[in-house]
Amino acid sequence: MILILLGPPGAGKGTQAKILMDRLGIVQISTGDILRDAVRKGTPLGLKAKDYMDRGDLVPDEVMIGIIEERVGQKDCERGFLLDGFPRTIPQAEALDALFAKTGKAIDAVVTLTAKEEELVKRLLSRAEAEGRSDDNPESIRTRLQVFREKTQPLIDYYRSRGKLVEVDGLGTVEEVAERIKEALGN
Ligand code: AMP
């Protein structure tokens, strides 16, 4: 099974991705986690990505597409995987379609978590206190929400028009949202 989780920052993608991964027995590929790990280790990728991430901007498409091409080709992805945080732009979605066409794979569903912007800001600010992520500051949060509206929101129509979109209300407890996703996916 190949799933994509789409949603604005703070919608609970990472949390729901982990629940789905356990339930479906597939691996979670979080591009945010891959990048944060690279920054922590000071690899060339990390050095390249850090400034974009701290500002709340997107890391360039070609860098992200390269990461995904390499990652989904690994053995643990054979049984399926869940993409959390990728694609985030139309060029990334097109590159993914091209990659899957080449490798004979297909997306089963794109789950999008919806939430009001004021709720997202509240969640991100409280996560900043709990986790201390360097991009959870008010300025970066503003940029990330704007980037989502401009660059990522168009993907909702992209996948809707391809019959892949499953919309789920992201408001409520973690368990409530997990249950809604389960129902929406029909398993
Ligand atoms: P996330 O943990 O998914 O919120 O990602 C944290 C940050 O990593 C984002 O604000 C971007 O700077 C960067 N990032 C993660 N995934 C992508 C992607 N698919 N395209 C571009 N930048 C990304």
Side-chain angles (χ1 to χ4, degrees):
M1 184 163 211
I2 298 181
L3 290 179
I4 293 177
L5 253 186
L6 203 70
K13 288 192 301 296
T15 309
Q16 295 300 331
K18 288 196 173 61
I19 294 175
L20 273 167
M21 172 179 87
D22 289 343
R23 191 160 69 74
L24 301 173
I26 55 179
V27 290
Q28 172 201 8
I29 302 176
S30 157
T31 43
D33 283 351
I34 293 173
L35 293 171
R36 277 185 289 278
D37 192 50
V39 170
R40 226 176 355 252
K41 291 180 176 146
T43 66
L45 169 65
L47 295 175
K48 199 166 183 173
K50 188 175 186 323
D51 286 347
Y52 292 103
M53 294 174 76
D54 284 346
R55 282 198 307 270
D57 272 338
L58 293 181
V59 174
D61 285 336
E62 62 276 13
V63 175
M64 300 311 301
I65 291 164
I67 293 175
I68 285 295
E69 282 183 348
E70 201 261 333
R71 182 66 188 87
V72 303
Q74 288 173 11
K75 196 149 179 53
D76 61 348
C77 290
E78 274 171 10
R79 292 190 50 218
F81 49 86
L82 186 158
L83 295 176
D84 160 17
F86 186 97
R88 258 176 154 101
T89 64
I90 295 279
Q92 290 182 16
E94 287 171 347
L96 193 65
D97 282 346
L99 174 69
F100 286 170
K102 209 167 62 186
T103 51
K105 293 188 172 78
I107 297 167
D108 291 285
V110 178
V111 177
T112 172
L113 293 175
T114 56
K116 287 218 178 68
E117 199 156 313
E118 61 226 54
E119 174 65 23
L120 297 172
V121 173
K122 217 161 57 188
R123 288 191 197 176
L124 289 165
L125 289 172
S126 82
R127 184 171 78 184
E129 278 182 31
E131 294 177 20
R133 256 176 66 163
S134 62
D135 58 350
D136 277 344
N137 58 73
E139 237 162 88
S140 165
I141 287 172
R142 229 187 337 266
T143 308
R144 280 152 67 210
L145 288 168
Q146 191 186 346
V147 166
F148 176 80
R149 277 195 301 271
E150 288 172 8
K151 306 265 178 63
T152 310
Q153 194 112 308
L155 292 181
I156 293 178
D157 283 335
Y158 181 92
Y159 287 118
R160 187 183 287 124
S161 70
R162 286 160 175 74
K164 301 283 184 198
L165 197 73
V166 176
E167 275 180 280
V168 174
D169 181 0
L171 203 70
T173 64
V174 168
E175 293 76 21
E176 282 165 352
V177 177
E179 194 52 40
R180 273 178 223 143
I181 295 177
K182 192 172 171 181
E183 266 172 41
L185 289 175
N187 51 20

